[in-house]
Amino acid sequence: MEPIRKAALVKATIVEIGRAGSLDVTVSQIAKRAGMSSALAHHYFGAKEDMFLAAMRHILSLYGAEVRGALAAAGEGPEARLHAIVRASFSPGNFRREAVGAWLNFYVLAQTVPEARRLLAVYQRRLRSNLLACLRPLVAGRAETVAASLGALIDGVYLREALKEGQPDSAAAVAAVVDFVAAELGKTQTK
Amino acid sequence: MEPIRKAALVKATIVEIGRAGSLDVTVSQIAKRAGMSSALAHHYFGAKEDMFLAAMRHILSLYGAEVRGALAAAGEGPEARLHAIVRASFSPGNFRREAVGAWLNFYVLAQTVPEARRLLAVYQRRLRSNLLACLRPLVAGRAETVAASLGALIDGVYLREALKEGQPDSAAAVAAVVDFVAAELGKTQTK
DNA sequence: AAGTTTATTGACTCGTCAATCAACAAAAAG
DNA sequence: CTTTTTGTTGATTGACGAGTCAATAAACTT
């Protein structure tokens, strides 16, 4: 039972954060959505914060899996692999209300909860390392710098696309980042 | 009295959000820090959310003033003006705990509170227009695209610098963005 | 001076919520 | 079949907090 209940709670936590748009969700709401009493939620997770952290781990692992899958499906060319990472980062699923809510609130959580900050750092390192592998063959010496900027650009574009009025547009987000890469590769042509 | 009290409450709101790292601050805390009773805070602002929005307006107007000042001090060259905007965006003051807390939580607020979303949109449009003015002489046809990416990059770099473990480094943030601009201008050389 | 508006607060209402606990059920172990 | 472990909940506790209100004081108006 334990793993089933925990998984249900994690999913419900993410949904509720998405609905509320904040971490201001009660354990009862989460438990109810997961089909159990609040007491049971407390039984499996000690405290509410533990639920948040588990939810964060889940979101990050989903994203990680998405990127891994995209890379596996992509061919061998560095450009193609780079493109795959970017597309995975901006997949429509990542712009669903729950996902946006989760990410934004995890940023907030990372300010004060060390474990949340650590998890975020892990995500950023993984993204960076994936980007580096693609970039080294393309820009050699400047790979480190470009990877750092590219990572930040992905976060920034995501933020803007997620918060703009109107529906987010995955394709536009991808295009913006691809354009940056093109510039870094020295081709001014947007293609 | 009214404007004095309101100003004190706005300042106190920002400080308390920074301390808590979230919008989970009580009106009493804010009022106490502002040197008055919670009833008085409710008297001047109707509800807590109004205090948050006033605080957001204040943060945004501070940032706007900073950019305006930097532009006034900068010369006439588009590159210099661009650099001024970037430096103002990453001034050490913007990395103080209160400022970071305010920005991150305003992003969260923008998900659900239309007025917050609107304010954020205003900030983004202003930044975009400032960037465009500098970019048009430099990259002509691609100015719109570059301005959009540059705006997102600034947000993304800020986010990462603010949340990384260790103290944020304004200079590094500026350097990352400047490097991007250099690439967009077609100069591969990092300087 | 009497009246009116503004400033200010302590006390209160009404609600919420995290966390605990005792109790019950049901499965596993012996 | 009885004991222990695991699953489960309703009820409760204890605390906190947003917003209201009546009352007091102080400052202007006429």
Side-chain angles (χ1 to χ4, degrees), chain B residues 156-171:
Chain B
V157 167
Y158 178 77
L159 201 61
R160 289 183 164 228
E161 203 61 36
L163 287 181
K164 82 168 180 196
E165 334 200 25
Q167 311 78 14
D169 177 351
S170 290

Side-chain angles (χ1 to χ4, degrees), chain A residues 1 5 37 39-40:
Chain A
M1 273 295 102
R5 292 302 199 185
S37 72
L40 198 52

Side-chain angles (χ1 to χ4, degrees), chain B:
Chain B
M1 272 293 103
E2 175 155 348
I4 294 161
R5 291 302 199 186
K6 278 197 164 186
L9 282 169
V10 162
K11 219 174 236 183
T13 301
I14 293 168
V15 171
E16 285 300 315
I17 289 176
R19 285 174 69 86
S22 78
L23 299 179
D24 230 326
V25 289
T26 71
V27 173
S28 300
Q29 279 166 27
I30 295 171
K32 189 173 185 183
R33 178 165 300 270
M36 71 194 79
S37 72
S38 72
L40 197 53
H42 274 108
H43 174 68
Y44 284 120
F45 288 92
K48 196 158 69 149
E49 190 176 292
D50 296 326
M51 283 185 234
F52 288 159
L53 289 173
M56 187 164 172
R57 277 186 212 100
H58 188 245
I59 287 272
L60 292 173
S61 90
L62 277 188
Y63 171 72
E66 201 165 7
V67 169
R68 242 186 339 268
L71 279 177
E76 280 298 317
E79 286 105 335
R81 294 176 72 78
L82 212 47
H83 196 243
I85 294 173
V86 174
R87 243 180 311 132
S89 299
F90 295 141
S91 77
N94 285 331
F95 287 111
R96 277 196 318 241
R97 178 176 313 203
E98 311 104 72
V100 172
W103 278 103
L104 292 186
N105 281 290
F106 292 157
Y107 284 135
V108 166
L109 209 58
Q111 280 174 107
T112 52
V113 180
E115 175 68 5
R117 180 173 294 221
R118 222 204 74 230
L119 289 173
L120 215 50
V122 168
Y123 143 73
Q124 286 175 348
R125 269 198 298 277
R126 199 163 45 188
L127 175 56
R128 175 193 147 84
S129 127
N130 282 332
L131 292 174
L132 266 179
C134 300
L135 286 169
R136 262 193 285 259
L138 296 174
V139 296
R142 303 184 56 247
E144 312 269 340
T145 315
V146 176
S149 295
L150 191 47
L153 182 64
I154 289 174
D155 286 359
V157 167
Y158 178 77
L159 201 61
R160 289 183 164 228
E161 203 61 36
L163 287 181
K164 82 168 180 196
E165 334 200 25
Q167 311 78 14
D169 177 351
S170 290
V174 172
V177 174
V178 166
D179 178 78
F180 164 85
V181 173
E184 284 288 348
L185 297 189
K187 316 169 196 157
T188 311
Q189 184 55 27
T190 310
K191 185 305 215 23

Side-chain angles (χ1 to χ4, degrees), chain A residues 5-20 22-23 25-27 29-31 33-34 41 45 48-56 59 98 101-102 106:
Chain A
R5 292 302 199 185
K6 278 196 164 185
L9 283 169
V10 162
K11 218 174 238 182
T13 301
I14 293 167
V15 171
E16 285 301 315
I17 289 176
R19 285 173 70 86
S22 78
L23 299 181
V25 289
T26 72
V27 174
Q29 279 166 26
I30 295 171
R33 177 165 302 270
F45 289 92
K48 197 158 69 149
E49 190 177 291
D50 295 327
M51 283 185 236
F52 288 159
L53 289 173
M56 186 164 172
I59 287 274
E98 312 105 69
F106 291 157

Side-chain angles (χ1 to χ4, degrees), chain A residues 44-78:
Chain A
Y44 283 119
F45 289 92
K48 197 158 69 149
E49 190 177 291
D50 295 327
M51 283 185 236
F52 288 159
L53 289 173
M56 186 164 172
R57 276 187 211 100
H58 188 245
I59 287 274
L60 292 174
S61 89
L62 277 188
Y63 171 71
E66 201 165 7
V67 169
R68 239 182 347 263
L71 279 177
E76 279 299 316

